[in-house]
Amino acid sequence: MLNRMRNWTTSQKIASSFASVIFIGSLLLSLPISQLSTSNATYIDNLFSAVSMVCVTGLFTESIADSYTLFGQIICMLLIQVGGLGLMTLIAYFITQLSKNKIGFRNKLAVQEGINRGDAKDFRTYIGTIMKYTAIIEGTGMVLLSFYFVPVFGF
């Protein structure tokens, strides 16, 4: 099986990585720890929600707040983050920044195609910059919005 996957085209690798994240997300959302006791969400609802979160469409068949526990909502936030940042960006970040390993040429081509980057110059810095600015912008938004939401809803 692994030998077959090594011979996959870049498009097949990207599509299978998205399908894997969506499938795992739908399974996690279907767990009893993710669902409120009053939830009416079926597996198909969870699968639809996972696809919507990863593909950043924002469509849901059931209300997130009325269907999922805190654990389920955290899974939802992670799926939205994967969709917003881009799965290939996250994969490249973990490979290049955290493991300190060199990324292979075939995998580098797959990631470059996934994030629409034409050249491979200074790839590690490019991915690090994406992650840094995303954290700064989202952190700033969180702090500014907390001035309104914490007094209204509590911490």
Side-chain angles (χ1 to χ4, degrees):
M1 178 73 176
L2 289 176
N3 287 333
R4 274 188 175 166
M5 290 173 63
R6 287 186 184 130
N7 295 327
W8 282 3
T9 65
T10 303
S11 300
Q12 288 173 320
K13 289 179 182 178
I14 293 170
S16 66
S17 63
F18 271 92
S20 298
V21 169
I22 290 168
F23 178 68
I24 291 169
S26 68
L27 289 178
L28 289 172
L29 290 175
S30 297
L31 292 174
I33 192 173
S34 299
Q35 302 267 332
L36 290 172
S37 59
T38 58
S39 174
N40 294 324
T42 64
Y43 176 74
I44 298 299
D45 293 323
N46 296 326
L47 178 63
F48 183 85
S49 296
V51 169
S52 178
M53 288 178 226
V54 173
C55 297
V56 199
T57 60
L59 303 172
F60 300 99
T61 57
E62 300 284 331
S63 168
I64 299 296
D66 297 333
S67 296
Y68 300 115
T69 62
L70 178 62
F71 177 78
Q73 291 175 9
I74 290 171
I75 297 299
C76 291
M77 286 190 331
L78 291 174
L79 290 172
I80 291 169
Q81 192 69 24
V82 165
L85 257 178
L87 180 61
M88 300 310 290
T89 304
L90 291 173
I91 290 171
Y93 178 75
F94 286 115
I95 290 173
T96 60
Q97 299 289 336
L98 298 181
S99 69
K100 301 294 183 197
N101 291 337
K102 293 279 186 183
I103 186 171
F105 183 71
R106 289 180 123 189
N107 291 331
K108 186 179 275 192
L109 287 177
V111 171
Q112 280 179 227
E113 189 170 321
I115 62 174
N116 289 330
R117 180 154 167 99
D119 63 343
K121 294 178 183 174
D122 210 12
F123 195 70
R124 175 179 269 178
T125 304
Y126 177 72
I127 297 296
T129 302
I130 290 172
M131 299 300 284
K132 179 175 71 173
Y133 283 111
T134 299
I136 289 170
I137 291 168
E138 287 182 0
T140 303
M142 180 186 72
V143 168
L144 292 175
L145 290 172
S146 69
F147 288 117
Y148 172 77
F149 286 115
V150 170
V152 172
F153 297 108
F155 188 75

